[in-house]
Amino acid sequence: MPKFTEAEKAQIHQCLLTKGKELFSKYGLAKTSIDDIVLACGIAKGSFYKFFSSKEELYYVILRHEEKIREQVLGELLREDLSPKELLTSFFKKSLQLVDENPFLQLMFQEGEYERIVRKLPPHLRQETAQEDVEKGMQAVVMLMQRGVLREEDPNVIVGVIKAIMMIRLHKEKIGADIFPDVMNQVIEHVVAGLAVER
């Protein structure tokens, strides 16, 4: 197996992320093979395993990168002169809009897909990402409390509420695709009314 320089490793790693995202978005996780990915990157199949233990791990790493966009959305909204209700409503709606506009993120909302991916991840990666999610969520919630956006409540509960709203997207088809936008508007309106500080 060839040895790569640090520059080559960085280049191959980026290629796997880029081509992996393209292939997953186009064909889905199940129909994309490691052979497809390494062919697109021009590397040997054995070289793939120097970077990732499975295609699910590659998928998950790409997903984590895509999820960082939500943090950027929140940062942008904080720079605008919005009331607490406007800020929270915009955050939820823009987060859901990002999913609807991103074919890669939409894959996660197919029934059972997330569970399949998580099952195939190395245990240490599952634990690290779960811990990181909790910490980042808590930091964001505490920061929004300090800024007078969120009411003073148990941050764990608020993080759970935010996750719950995003997970409703998993049930779009069961709720009814035609009424889903109106349902989400109602859910967001009521949740924001309960979480936002009145000004």
Side-chain angles (χ1 to χ4, degrees), residues 7-196:
E8 287 170 333
K9 282 181 187 173
Q11 188 177 6
I12 292 168
H13 188 264
Q14 186 56 51
C15 182
L16 290 169
L17 295 176
T18 304
K19 295 299 182 183
K21 182 182 173 185
E22 287 174 13
L23 291 165
F24 291 139
S25 298
K26 191 171 183 181
Y27 302 111
L29 179 63
K31 292 183 181 175
T32 301
S33 67
I34 291 175
D35 288 329
D36 296 328
I37 298 165
V38 297
L39 182 65
C41 288
I43 61 171
K45 190 171 184 177
S47 298
F48 175 90
Y49 294 103
K50 285 182 171 274
F51 299 89
F52 300 101
S53 63
S54 64
K55 67 177 183 178
E56 287 80 11
E57 184 178 351
L58 170 61
Y59 185 97
Y60 197 69
V61 169
I62 299 168
L63 175 67
R64 300 297 293 174
H65 179 72
E66 293 294 303
E67 287 178 335
K68 288 179 182 172
I69 296 168
R70 272 210 306 260
E71 295 170 25
Q72 294 169 8
V73 167
L74 182 57
E76 287 167 14
L77 290 172
L78 285 168
R79 287 192 286 274
E80 296 179 27
D81 186 24
L82 300 173
S83 71
K85 282 188 177 180
E86 289 170 332
L87 190 150
L88 291 175
T89 301
S90 295
F91 171 73
F92 286 125
K93 288 186 175 181
K94 287 191 177 186
S95 295
L96 289 165
Q97 182 185 347
L98 283 171
V99 172
D100 286 333
E101 293 174 353
N102 187 324
F104 181 83
L105 287 176
Q106 285 173 25
L107 294 173
M108 285 307 300
F109 292 93
Q110 293 172 7
E111 193 166 350
E113 200 65 19
Y114 184 78
E115 290 77 15
R116 271 195 291 278
I117 292 162
V118 170
R119 268 199 313 270
K120 295 208 174 183
L121 290 177
H124 75 276
L125 191 58
R126 278 198 303 260
Q127 291 164 358
E128 285 170 16
T129 52
Q131 182 70 26
E132 185 183 328
D133 280 348
V134 170
E135 288 172 4
K136 283 189 174 179
M138 292 285 282
Q139 287 169 3
V141 164
V142 169
M143 179 267 292
L144 289 172
M145 284 180 182
Q146 290 169 345
R147 287 184 176 226
V149 174
L150 288 172
R151 293 181 181 175
E152 293 283 339
E153 290 189 31
D154 182 348
N156 284 301
V157 173
I158 296 179
V159 169
V161 169
I162 293 168
K163 282 184 183 176
I165 288 180
M166 297 311 297
M167 291 184 78
I168 294 173
R169 179 63 176 73
L170 287 167
H171 306 286
K172 181 177 181 177
E173 299 308 317
K174 290 177 185 172
I175 292 169
D178 54 333
I179 62 167
F180 187 76
D182 292 330
V183 170
M184 286 311 301
N185 284 339
Q186 288 282 337
V187 169
I188 290 168
E189 182 182 333
H190 290 294
V191 168
V192 166
L195 293 180

